[in-house]
Amino acid sequence: MTESKKTQDFLRAGRQDRLLHELVHDPYKSKHKLPEPTVCPDCGAIFHHGRWQWGERPADAHEEFCPACHRMRDEVPAGFLTLQGEFFAAHKEEIMNLVHNIEAKAKKEHPIERIMGTEDLEDGIVITFTDAHLTRGVGEAIHHAFKGELDFHYTDEDASLRVNWSR
């Protein structure tokens, strides 16, 4: 084999060591396949066709807590949204209505996407969520509607998302 042929083969082969695999450690994801149907004893969500959804409880259903109820019982949020600033203080009711409307729409389709709670701060509020996707979506919606500064911080240790918005 000629030197140029070896070089061409090497260039086409690619580097396998550059293949990065994302390490996701979410203790609230099921470590085994749930029997179908499975019902959450707290909220009544049903695990059916590989996902949690709303519906009528089947008579022969297995019971296990959904990830959202599990997080709520343990008080371990997947996302934190901090809202601050003079604009937020002046428009708190309007912004919180937007937050609750987005959560209601998401929860209707995805039972594991919920608000866990709110905590008032001296200069704002922190809203906790059961799902990082909902946290990000609410933060982006507030930014889209009201502009301001928006920052995202993912943490590897506890697989959570911290979103900060201010104006």
Side-chain angles (χ1 to χ4, degrees):
M1 190 180 275
T2 65
E3 189 66 37
S4 61
K5 178 69 172 148
K6 285 182 184 179
T7 304
Q8 288 175 354
D9 289 344
F10 175 76
L11 291 174
R12 278 193 217 127
R15 295 210 31 196
Q16 297 302 316
D17 62 342
R18 287 194 183 169
L19 193 61
L20 301 176
H21 296 284
E22 192 174 324
L23 176 63
V24 177
H25 176 68
D26 186 355
Y28 293 92
K29 275 197 166 188
S30 183
K31 290 167 184 41
H32 61 279
K33 184 172 177 159
L34 295 174
E36 293 198 25
T38 295
V39 174
C40 177
D42 272 5
C43 69
I46 301 165
F47 185 81
H48 188 59
H49 295 300
R51 69 180 191 95
W52 290 96
Q53 51 194 301
W54 299 115
E56 280 194 44
R57 179 189 178 105
D60 60 341
H62 174 76
E63 284 194 351
E64 190 165 324
F65 291 109
C66 70
C69 289
H70 193 182
R71 279 188 180 279
M72 291 173 98
R73 289 173 143 264
D74 292 351
E75 298 179 6
V76 179
F80 300 82
L81 173 62
T82 304
L83 306 173
Q84 296 174 301
E86 291 178 23
F87 183 88
F88 173 72
H91 297 87
K92 181 177 179 179
E93 186 177 340
E94 184 180 357
I95 293 171
M96 290 306 293
N97 283 338
L98 176 62
V99 169
H100 289 293
N101 288 340
I102 293 168
E103 186 246 0
K105 183 179 177 184
K107 185 178 170 182
K108 190 175 182 179
E109 290 183 38
H110 306 284
I112 61 172
E113 294 186 1
R114 304 182 206 158
I115 291 175
M116 289 178 65
T118 59
E119 181 184 337
D120 288 322
L121 303 174
E122 191 175 302
D123 62 340
I125 194 167
V126 175
I127 307 167
T128 54
F129 295 87
T130 59
D131 184 80
H133 297 288
L134 180 58
T135 310
R136 183 177 186 95
V138 171
E140 288 175 343
I142 291 170
H143 183 256
H144 179 75
F146 302 103
K147 306 302 179 233
E149 297 293 320
L150 183 66
D151 295 313
F152 301 97
H153 302 281
Y154 289 93
T155 58
D156 292 332
E157 309 84 57
D158 57 1
S160 67
L161 170 64
R162 295 187 181 272
V163 178
N164 299 306
W165 178 85
S166 62
R167 177 170 169 207

